[in-house]
Each structure stands twice: as structure tokens, then as C-alpha cells.
Amino acid sequence: MSPITLVKEKPASYTKHDQLFKQLIHTFFKEFLDAFFPEVHDNIDFQSIKPLSEEVHTDLIKGSTRRLDVVVETKLKGTDVVIIVHIEPQSSAQPHFHERMYQYFSLLYNKYRKPIIPIAVLTYDENWEENEYTMSFPFFHVLTFNFMTLHLRKQNWRAFIHSNNPAAAALLSKMGTPKRNGFK
């Protein structure tokens, strides 16, 4: 097996997209989870939210680092269990995005040694979506890594149009339209 290499940095054209999503999710973290990941929202303690450094070391020998989009520390509601929520907006389909999510998960776990909830927010038109990374051999299954996804183009905007949720309102324009996804 060859060593794992990180997917190249995103082109500068994605920087503005990523920064806007990052600001939106940081500002409306609770509302974002409430609108799109209610099972996560209902199980985390919003009184103990703490943004973490998004910088992780990708190559300790060379000193290379990578900035992840949103990394927040909190607790599971009603417990002292500290967890990390990692949210990674993705504006274009990439064949190896699922591997990159696993790499980010591994880097975060190595840095913080805490349970992690990985979430990808997909904003592109293509229907490609893979939310699982598997490493196996014909004789042995090593691992299967899964992450939660929100593919905004697959969301029916009509389900959110009357919502008072600011995160949902801000993302309406990225959601599917009747012609685009066959919604009625």
C-alpha cells in the first residue's frame, strides 16, 4: 500500500465560497444543526460550544498544515463527554472527497483524541455523493469510515421556505428547484 496523501488544496476560486459557508455555519451553528441535522442538534450541549483551531498538521516532518473549515468542541447533552463536530463544505464533486474526509477525521482524532461527528455540506449540482471510505483487502476488512452529508441540491426548498431558521433561509438559494430535482 502506498502512503496516504492529502488531496491538493482547493483553487483560489473556492476560497470565497468556503469562507462564506464557514462564517454562516460558525454564526448559526445551532440553527444549522437544528435545520439539517436535528439528531445531532438534539444531543449536543450548546452551552459548552468552543471553536477549535482548524489547523492540522498533515506532514510532521515537512511541517505541512491544512485548514479545515469548521471544527467545534462541545459536550453530549447531559454528560461530561467532550466531542468534536467537524463540518466541511464542498462546492464541487471530487472523486476522492470521501478519502479526504477520512484523512481529516484521522488528523483531528490524532490531535484531540475525542469522538468526532464528521459532516460534509455538498453544494454542487452533480448527483455524485459518496459518504463512506473503506479500506480492505481480499482477505481482511480494515475499516469503514462514514460521515454525515447534506447535499443542498437534493433538499426541497419548499420544506424550508416558511422556516424562521436563519441558516435554512441563508441556504435556500443552494437548494433544489422543481426543474432541477423533479420536486413537485
Side-chain angles (χ1 to χ4, degrees):
M1 275 232 155
S2 62
I4 295 177
T5 56
L6 277 176
V7 176
K8 291 180 183 176
E9 291 282 334
K10 296 175 186 172
S13 61
Y14 297 121
T15 303
K16 186 174 182 180
H17 170 273
D18 286 357
Q19 190 59 36
L20 290 172
F21 268 83
K22 185 176 181 175
Q23 288 174 344
L24 172 75
I25 293 169
H26 270 296
T27 303
F28 297 109
F29 181 71
K30 181 178 181 178
E31 294 83 357
F32 173 79
L33 292 176
D34 185 34
F36 301 107
F37 296 96
E39 66 281 5
V40 175
H41 174 272
D42 293 346
N43 286 287
I44 65 172
D45 177 4
F46 290 97
Q47 301 303 313
S48 62
I49 295 282
K50 179 174 107 176
L52 296 177
S53 168
E54 293 97 5
E55 186 174 84
V56 292
H57 295 281
T58 57
D59 187 327
L60 296 176
I61 296 170
K62 293 180 183 177
S64 301
T65 60
R66 172 79 167 110
R67 283 205 167 286
L68 308 186
D69 285 322
V70 177
V71 182
V72 174
E73 181 182 273
T74 187
K75 291 181 180 178
L76 287 177
K77 193 179 281 183
T79 74
D80 288 329
V81 177
V82 177
I83 65 168
I84 293 173
V85 179
H86 166 224
I87 303 173
E88 193 70 21
Q90 179 67 16
S91 61
S92 63
Q94 288 183 337
H96 300 288
F97 179 72
H98 61 296
E99 181 178 352
R100 184 159 52 99
M101 283 296 289
Y102 170 68
Q103 292 167 350
Y104 290 170
F105 174 88
S106 298
L107 292 166
L108 282 171
Y109 186 78
N110 283 334
K111 183 174 181 176
Y112 295 109
R113 299 287 185 195
K114 307 265 189 273
I116 300 166
I117 299 173
I119 299 173
V121 180
L122 311 173
T123 61
Y124 47 81
D125 286 329
E126 295 89 356
N127 282 325
W128 181 89
E129 179 180 329
E130 192 168 352
N131 65 346
E132 178 180 286
Y133 174 71
T134 302
M135 184 183 297
S136 63
F137 300 91
F139 55 88
F140 182 67
H141 179 84
V142 178
L143 71 89
T144 298
F145 166 75
N146 295 287
F147 55 95
M148 303 173 96
T149 58
L150 168 62
H151 199 303
L152 284 169
R153 296 295 189 203
K154 292 183 180 180
Q155 299 295 311
N156 185 341
W157 62 271
R158 288 185 175 139
F160 298 94
I161 193 70
H162 296 293
S163 170
N164 290 328
N165 186 309
L171 296 173
L172 274 172
S173 68
K174 291 288 187 181
M175 293 182 194
T177 61
K179 289 182 182 178
R180 185 182 338 229
N181 288 332
F183 291 124
K184 296 178 181 177

